Amino acid sequence: MKRPSAQISCGLKIAGRPEHSVDKAPEPKTVASAPERIPLLKARLLKSKGDRVSIGTPLYQDKQNTDIVFAAPGAGKIEDIVHGPRRVIREIVIRLDKEQTAEDFISYPADKLARMTPGALTEILLKGGVWPLLRDIVYRGVADPGRSPSAIWVAATNQDPFHPPPDTWLQSPQDKRFFQTGIKALEILCSSVFVCCAADTAFGDEQIENMITHRVSGGYPFDDPAVVHYHAKTRPEDNHAWFVSGQDVRLIGEFLETGRFPVRRTVAVSGKSVHGRYRQTRLGAPLQILADPGENSGCRWVAGGLFRGYSSGPDFHLGLYETALGIITESGKREMLGFMRPGWNKPTCSRTFLSLFNPQPLPVDADMHGSGRACVNCGNCTRACPVDILPQFTYKCIRAGEIEESLSHGMLDCVECGLCSYVCPSKIELCQTFQETKQAYFRQRI
């Protein structure tokens, strides 16, 4: 399965990056854990409103597998438990104490890890609350600790704009050591650990460079672990694999070496008043401290990436997997005769606009630029799909209730990159449909 380098021809070329500097966000007064934004999770609370917790204290568990617990990202008093529709737990908000206490776990530096068995390491990661950082590559939910994967893929880079590159979260020798310890821990859990990154990425550390197994190039999302896995797998047994982001590998290594639940997070922030920047903050930080004052006016807040993220707002907090915040202009107005205008500054995949010939990065907004309509079989989604699943036919099978036929088209190979929805001239939410169908199929199987 190992391929040192590869060119993935599908996807889209995405231009633009934040200014390459890292600053520190203001210290938050609250942090939160967001069960709603963890795929497939059915959360059962272990604490109540008004309870006091330390960093690493179990907050809730997965009803389907009670061994999987989610830890508090801060020490203080549980100020609120926010529920969404159908009483889904949206956020558990913690008002932080001035003195941050933490649960103590046994530390396991690299030399002690060498003698560890997979079962013992799994138990340690579960009790420490860091197991949820490992995710299933098909459904993108938390990895099943009771089943061994065929491979674990580490995503050292992320081309979903704007996400922090490795040199923003591997700044110190200690960070690099934590990352290496995390990789060694993954190698105990699975004999096949693959680290993939963009071909032009430099880590500035020879040991980490030697850990890279796949250097890939192409259009977004070419360096997504699910995409690389799709192009690298050779047999049906390879489908059961896990993935984890590079920044979360560092957190796993930090937990093992220090015996403390890690809360550091580097986030990429972009908004209408700032070109973009990288900010150091903590897990579960409120979104409003990451942005500049006044950013809320006429904007949509998207946490987790422009293509894979969630509509949010300044009063929400970062989810467990979110390392990007985009604040995008949203006017809600229709453009008069927009279809007749040349569109020199419009980001689009259509050949009917002059922006096809504009080499400069183009501004994005959250407006629809048109109305929804039926699928016209234009084939844009097929050309953009990085895993060749013929999205328009898969979508029609789902709408007709032919789930088995949609599976034969490769629905479970969908990496939920969002490109099909982005390029669709009919404004069909293809990616959301695939995501919801995959999750419904998963729940029917358990």
Side-chain angles (χ1 to χ4, degrees):
M1 187 182 287
K2 181 175 177 180
R3 295 166 64 186
S5 63
Q7 171 74 28
I8 297 176
S9 58
C10 294
L12 291 180
K13 293 288 186 181
I14 306 295
R17 283 289 179 269
E19 297 174 359
H20 203 85
S21 62
V22 182
D23 63 10
K24 191 171 183 180
E27 287 297 323
K29 295 180 180 179
T30 62
V31 294
S33 186
E36 184 186 40
R37 300 207 289 276
I38 299 174
L40 302 173
L41 175 67
K42 291 185 177 180
R44 175 185 288 129
L45 287 171
L46 299 176
K47 298 293 180 180
S48 304
K49 183 177 178 179
D51 288 351
R52 304 197 67 83
V53 295
S54 298
I55 296 174
T57 299
L59 277 182
Y60 54 96
Q61 62 186 181
D62 187 352
K63 288 182 181 180
Q64 299 164 135
N65 188 335
T66 55
D67 290 334
I68 300 175
V69 298
F70 296 80
K77 183 179 179 180
I78 297 180
E79 183 177 74
D80 196 10
I81 298 176
V82 183
H83 290 84
R86 298 184 181 181
R87 299 292 294 172
V88 172
I89 303 171
R90 180 161 285 170
E91 289 189 337
I92 303 168
V93 183
I94 301 169
R95 174 67 59 175
L96 295 177
D97 293 335
K98 289 185 178 180
E99 296 295 329
Q100 289 290 285
T101 59
E103 301 283 348
D104 287 320
F105 301 92
I106 300 174
S107 62
Y108 293 91
D111 56 339
K112 293 177 68 174
L113 277 179
R115 301 185 294 273
M116 189 80 64
T117 64
L121 180 58
T122 297
E123 185 176 354
I124 291 166
L125 298 179
L126 285 168
K127 288 183 177 179
V130 295
W131 181 268
L133 298 175
L134 299 170
R135 304 174 66 186
D136 179 81
I137 210 162
V138 174
Y139 299 101
R140 305 187 82 85
V142 179
D144 182 358
R147 184 177 179 187
S148 298
S150 61
I152 299 178
W153 292 84
V154 177
T157 56
N158 188 336
Q159 299 303 307
D160 185 352
F162 289 17
H163 273 77
D167 58 357
T168 62
W169 45 267
L170 289 177
Q171 291 187 304
S172 69
Q174 184 184 54
D175 289 332
K176 295 175 181 178
R177 191 181 74 247
F178 289 157
F179 180 80
Q180 294 171 36
T181 300
I183 293 293
K184 291 176 182 177
L186 297 181
E187 291 174 342
I188 294 173
L189 295 175
C190 179
S191 59
S192 299
V193 175
F194 304 109
V195 184
C196 56
C197 68
D200 57 354
T201 304
F203 293 87
D205 185 282
E206 185 177 356
Q207 287 183 300
I208 294 180
E209 294 280 357
N210 291 334
M211 292 178 172
I212 305 300
T213 61
H214 292 67
R215 289 187 175 272
V216 292
S217 58
Y220 165 81
F222 68 87
D223 60 346
D224 183 274
V227 175
V228 183
H229 175 70
Y230 173 83
H231 289 279
K233 63 184 180 180
T234 58
R235 52 181 186 160
E237 292 79 7
D238 293 334
N239 285 324
H240 180 65
W242 299 346
F243 78 97
V244 56
S245 75
Q247 192 168 172
D248 289 344
V249 172
R250 188 203 68 187
L251 295 183
I252 291 173
E254 182 177 349
F255 165 75
L256 290 170
E257 289 214 8
T258 64
R260 296 286 182 94
F261 182 79
V263 298
R264 292 185 301 150
R265 182 64 94 193
T266 301
V267 181
V269 183
S270 60
K272 66 176 184 179
S273 66
V274 61
H275 176 64
R277 62 184 167 201
Y278 303 110
R279 310 206 75 175
Q280 289 185 345
T281 184
R282 59 187 295 165
L283 287 172
L287 300 183
Q288 60 186 350
I289 72 168
L290 302 174
D292 289 339
E295 284 279 23
N296 194 34
S297 177
C299 293
R300 178 182 296 186
W301 293 53
V302 181
L306 294 184
F307 289 98
R308 283 200 174 109
Y310 300 84
S311 286
S312 197
D315 296 329
F316 286 80
H317 298 71
L318 279 175
L320 179 62
Y321 306 122
E322 293 158 12
T323 59
L325 172 63
I327 304 169
I328 311 167
T329 301
E330 184 177 30
S331 67
K333 299 178 181 178
R334 295 177 65 93
E335 184 180 5
M336 181 68 70
L337 300 177
F339 65 95
M340 296 178 60
R341 298 187 178 184
W344 178 250
N345 288 318
K346 289 184 177 180
T348 177
C349 298
S350 172
R351 295 178 178 272
T352 61
F353 290 95
L354 288 179
S355 58
L356 178 69
F357 305 103
N358 188 348
Q360 301 300 318
L362 302 176
V364 297
D365 57 48
D367 294 332
M368 284 188 66
H369 298 283
S371 301
R373 57 178 175 171
C375 175
V376 295
N377 286 323
C378 63
N380 285 351
C381 55
T382 297
R383 287 188 290 272
C385 181
V387 292
D388 310 317
I389 70 167
L390 301 176
Q392 74 272 38
F393 295 117
T394 307
Y395 172 75
K396 290 178 180 180
C397 291
I398 293 171
R399 291 299 301 271
E402 299 291 342
I403 302 301
E404 291 300 323
E405 190 170 349
S406 71
L407 292 173
S408 68
H409 279 294
M411 183 186 69
L412 295 184
D413 286 322
C414 173
V415 298
E416 302 174 21
C417 64
L419 283 184
C420 53
S421 297
Y422 175 72
V423 303
C424 178
S426 297
K427 318 299 179 184
I428 299 173
E429 292 291 350
L430 293 162
C431 184
Q432 181 179 344
T433 300
F434 299 155
Q435 184 182 55
E436 292 173 352
T437 305
K438 284 171 61 179
Q439 292 182 4
Y441 178 73
F442 173 84
R443 293 189 177 102
Q444 287 178 357
R445 294 172 60 245
I446 59 176

